Amino acid sequence: MSRDKLRGGYYTSSEVAEWICGWAIRTDKEKVLEPSCGDGAFLRAAALRYRELGAQKSNIAARLTGVEIMEDQADSARESLRALVGSGAEKIVHNSDFFSWREAHASETYDAVIGNPPFIRYQTFPEPYRSLAMTLMANEGLAPNKLTNMWVPFVVAAAAALKPGGRLGLVLPAEILQVSYAAQLRSFLTDRFKRIDVVACNELFFEKAEQEVVLLLADGRLAKPSDTNLCRVAMTEAQTVAEITQRTPKSILAAAKPKTIRHDNEKWLKYFLTQQEISLMRALRESGAATSLSSHASVDVGVVTGRNEFFVLTTEQVEEFGISGYTAPLVSRSAHLKGTTVRKSDWKAMSETGGRVHLLDLKRLQGARLSPALKRYIEFGEQQEVHTGYKCSIRNPWYEVPSVWVPDGFLFRQIYDFPRVVLNQAEATSTDTIHRLRAKHATPERVVANTYSWLTAASAEIEGRSYGGGVLELEPTEAERLLMPAVLNGALPLTECDRLMRAGRLDQVLEQNARIVLMEHMGLSKTECTALRDIWFKMRDRRMARKKGGRRSSAARETF
């Protein structure tokens, strides 16, 4: 494994490191740990903080501990510390992987843990370090899986190393607020700290990296974990990194408005809302007037072909290869879905303009012999080594794509403004860029029509996740949690909804459904409707402010 993959880190600017250390280290007597110190940005910031608090060089070395797996990085960290602490720098930095080191020093505890854990995927993190990390998580009561990014066990180990009353100050992926694999970690932290502050920024912290990060400041480590702990979580947001680092941590956190955490699977994205807005969303989910989309429909991924370049074709390609009759109608791009309904005429128009709207569907052969044209096309695929790709290689035969079925509707996986659901009258299926929806009890038309409301829009911003590019993403389980009316009494007719959407009048659709769906049928007040609209606006605009571009802070390395 390359050193970059093993290290897997973004480097933190000195300004951000000093800001975190200014919060985390309260006296010159405190012991501080940096579990993945890289070239020493946090260690240098901690040493400066100790000096600011009156510590002597010799005392700093006795108080400060850093761990770094890469030998050259550990050497760089020591070298950069010598000007601040003298020869004591040699004692501060330990060249080891953190989990082995922590296992050997399990009895040592610290007043503060600071740093920027590496962002490494489970599959990329090598043995034996991965097993040590997973064992540590299991010992703390968590159940890791193959979706777990390695920053998660770093956080768990860091929290476990703290003394009662200790502080945790880390730079973490914004995934901690929203992804399902971090749900256990969110509960772990709220069971162990009195208060957690999350500081976010519209300007990305790392140059040349789309990874959105936040600053996590967890205060008041409890002596024992408690699921009855009333942890308070506060979200603070700035437009630029400078707006954070040019103010003191005390002044920023004093202005934050903490909310009481629920000990369930709520995402922390919700805590960017006011307490009143949070209470409204909770009350609606529990009221009986609203329910999850899963009560009315199921959501599944689209067709996973294994190689779209081979399996997804234009009409011209189908005719060129002579494989007419062996394809299924397909919607492959959400941009093709303009309204609230996709009709056969829409599909035909996509086909005539060169859209890739045919899916090679050879399961319909049902054991029949391949035609000469099909044989030639399959041989062409083998010449392109399509059959050697993972998805194709585990199928027998490799060219038969599974799970080709026609849904009642389509639900956008990636969202820009609104969580679009589209009725399927084209008898088409979709690739995995678009989810497939099946209605349960009500007609598909009624299910689709009732999703066009501020209620569904607001809940999508809370249930989905964004990664810094301005796009909201919904996986099927998240999509099924979208809120909509429990009883589908009526909505703006889908034909009218479709006409308005094709004319770019989403706002008019939502305003009419506020009156019909939310007020008349669900019984919400005008004030509650306005609040739902404002929640959607606030969360959508916050997300879209994180599009690529703008000034960013210091250099970063690639993450894996």
Side-chain angles (χ1 to χ4, degrees), residues 99 134 220 232 283 335 474 542 552:
F99 300 106
M134 297 302 104
R232 304 279 281 168
L474 285 169
R542 176 189 174 274
R552 299 173 185 174

Side-chain angles (χ1 to χ4, degrees), residues 233-252:
V233 171
M235 301 291 191
T236 301
E237 201 155 29
Q239 289 298 317
T240 66
V241 176
E243 285 182 27
I244 298 169
T245 57
Q246 290 175 7
R247 294 176 58 193
T248 66
K250 183 178 180 179
S251 68
I252 288 180

Side-chain angles (χ1 to χ4, degrees), residues 455-469:
L455 172 66
T456 302
S459 65
E461 296 295 337
I462 294 168
E463 299 301 337
R465 77 278 296 272
S466 62
Y467 296 107

Side-chain angles (χ1 to χ4, degrees), residues 176-195:
I176 190 172
L177 308 179
Q178 53 191 350
V179 297
S180 55
Y181 74 73
Q184 291 184 90
L185 178 62
R186 293 193 289 269
S187 293
F188 174 87
L189 293 172
T190 55
D191 289 347
R192 286 162 175 78
F193 290 91
K194 293 180 179 179
R195 173 164 169 161

Side-chain angles (χ1 to χ4, degrees), residues 274-484:
T274 67
Q275 188 65 60
Q276 187 175 8
E277 290 167 336
I278 293 169
S279 296
L280 173 61
M281 296 302 295
R282 286 173 174 166
L284 285 170
R285 188 172 287 280
E286 297 167 358
S287 66
T291 189
S292 296
L293 172 61
S294 60
S295 298
H296 301 299
S298 61
V299 179
D300 202 352
V301 295
V303 177
V304 179
T305 67
R307 181 77 74 86
N308 283 352
E309 293 87 346
F310 177 80
F311 291 100
V312 179
L313 305 104
T314 65
T315 299
E316 183 180 0
Q317 288 173 318
V318 170
E319 293 172 351
E320 176 188 349
F321 289 112
I323 53 178
S324 297
Y326 298 105
T327 64
L330 178 76
V331 176
S332 60
R333 296 182 58 201
S334 57
H336 290 155
L337 304 175
K338 302 298 185 182
T340 60
T341 301
V342 57
R343 306 180 184 90
K344 288 183 179 179
S345 58
D346 296 316
W347 182 88
K348 184 177 179 182
M350 296 179 221
S351 172
E352 291 173 347
T353 55
R356 295 166 65 84
V357 294
H358 296 271
L359 173 68
L360 189 66
D361 180 18
L362 299 187
K363 275 191 171 295
R364 62 180 60 198
L365 290 173
Q366 296 181 340
R369 288 186 176 182
L370 300 176
S371 69
L374 273 177
K375 284 183 178 179
R376 285 193 296 272
Y377 189 63
I378 291 169
E379 288 170 358
F380 167 74
E382 290 173 345
Q383 290 169 8
Q384 303 297 313
E385 299 186 343
V386 175
H387 63 302
T388 64
Y390 175 71
K391 292 292 183 182
C392 295
S393 68
I394 61 175
R395 297 197 299 244
N396 186 21
W398 68 267
Y399 47 78
E400 288 190 1
V401 178
S403 190
V404 180
W405 50 270
V406 175
D408 295 322
F410 301 109
L411 188 149
F412 284 20
R413 176 178 179 176
Q414 293 189 327
I415 299 161
Y416 295 90
D417 58 350
F418 185 84
R420 295 270 307 284
V421 184
V422 178
L423 183 70
N424 181 20
Q425 291 184 340
E427 298 181 7
T429 190
S430 66
T431 57
D432 59 350
T433 58
I434 306 169
H435 296 320
R436 293 179 287 182
L437 177 144
R438 275 178 170 158
K440 292 182 177 179
H441 311 296
T443 63
E445 291 85 352
R446 182 158 286 193
V447 174
V448 172
N450 274 269
T451 63
Y452 283 81
S453 77
W454 291 326
L455 172 66
T456 302
S459 65
E461 296 295 337
I462 294 168
E463 299 301 337
R465 77 278 296 272
S466 62
Y467 296 107
V471 177
L472 184 73
E473 186 165 312
L474 285 169
E475 293 303 323
T477 54
E478 295 164 338
E480 289 183 344
R481 283 183 57 80
L482 297 185
L483 285 176
M484 58 186 302

Side-chain angles (χ1 to χ4, degrees), residues 475-521:
E475 293 303 323
T477 54
E478 295 164 338
E480 289 183 344
R481 283 183 57 80
L482 297 185
L483 285 176
M484 58 186 302
V487 180
L488 306 181
N489 285 317
L492 184 68
L494 204 56
T495 52
E496 177 65 4
C497 187
D498 185 70
R499 182 187 69 80
L500 290 170
M501 288 294 293
R502 288 174 189 259
R505 296 308 307 272
L506 171 64
D507 56 345
Q508 193 171 333
V509 172
L510 298 179
E511 286 166 6
Q512 292 198 49
N513 272 340
R515 176 179 54 82
I516 301 169
V517 177
L518 302 181
M519 297 176 69
E520 291 181 9
H521 295 314

Side-chain angles (χ1 to χ4, degrees), residues 38-308:
D39 64 357
F42 273 94
L43 295 179
R44 293 190 296 275
L48 289 171
R49 175 60 174 164
Y50 278 126
R51 288 176 56 173
E52 179 185 311
L53 293 168
Q56 300 299 313
K57 282 186 177 182
S58 58
N59 292 333
I60 293 175
R63 304 272 191 272
L64 190 57
T65 300
V67 182
E68 171 53 44
I69 192 170
M70 303 305 301
E71 184 176 3
D72 61 337
Q73 292 289 287
D75 289 340
S76 294
R78 294 187 191 102
E79 183 64 31
S80 68
L81 282 168
R82 286 194 180 96
L84 296 170
V85 302
S87 60
E90 299 297 326
K91 298 178 181 179
I92 291 176
V93 182
H94 300 261
N95 181 207
S96 170
D97 78 277
F98 176 57
F99 300 106
S100 297
W101 182 88
R102 184 60 193 157
E103 188 176 50
H105 298 80
S107 62
E108 296 182 21
T109 54
Y110 300 84
D111 298 284
V113 179
I114 54 174
N116 175 8
F119 308 165
I120 309 174
R121 296 191 188 116
Y122 179 95
Q123 294 87 346
T124 312
F125 200 50
E127 295 291 1
Y129 316 123
R130 184 170 68 191
S131 291
L132 287 169
M134 297 302 104
T135 299
L136 185 147
M137 284 186 68
N139 291 341
E140 292 293 330
L142 288 80
N145 58 50
K146 292 184 178 180
L147 295 176
T148 303
N149 193 298
M150 284 302 107
W151 61 266
V152 175
F154 266 86
V155 177
V156 173
L162 281 172
K163 296 177 181 178
R167 287 183 166 183
L168 189 65
L170 301 175
V171 179
L172 296 178
E175 293 172 2
I176 190 172
L177 308 179
Q178 53 191 350
V179 297
S180 55
Y181 74 73
Q184 291 184 90
L185 178 62
R186 293 193 289 269
S187 293
F188 174 87
L189 293 172
T190 55
D191 289 347
R192 286 162 175 78
F193 290 91
K194 293 180 179 179
R195 173 164 169 161
I196 296 171
D197 279 271
V198 175
V199 181
C201 185
N202 285 336
E203 179 183 67
L204 298 183
F205 279 92
F206 296 123
E207 184 183 2
K208 299 178 182 178
E210 291 184 29
Q211 178 74 58
E212 181 184 351
V213 302
V214 296
L215 311 183
L216 180 87
L217 312 177
D219 192 10
R221 173 70 156 90
L222 300 178
K224 294 181 180 180
S226 169
D227 58 9
T228 60
N229 174 43
L230 296 178
C231 181
R232 304 279 281 168
V233 171
M235 301 291 191
T236 301
E237 201 155 29
Q239 289 298 317
T240 66
V241 176
E243 285 182 27
I244 298 169
T245 57
Q246 290 175 7
R247 294 176 58 193
T248 66
K250 183 178 180 179
S251 68
I252 288 180
L253 303 187
K257 297 178 180 179
K259 294 98 180 179
T260 303
I261 280 285
R262 275 197 172 186
H263 290 272
D264 57 17
N265 289 324
E266 282 187 349
K267 296 184 177 184
W268 284 3
L269 282 176
K270 181 175 289 186
Y271 298 103
F272 283 108
L273 302 175
T274 67
Q275 188 65 60
Q276 187 175 8
E277 290 167 336
I278 293 169
S279 296
L280 173 61
M281 296 302 295
R282 286 173 174 166
L284 285 170
R285 188 172 287 280
E286 297 167 358
S287 66
T291 189
S292 296
L293 172 61
S294 60
S295 298
H296 301 299
S298 61
V299 179
D300 202 352
V301 295
V303 177
V304 179
T305 67
R307 181 77 74 86
N308 283 352

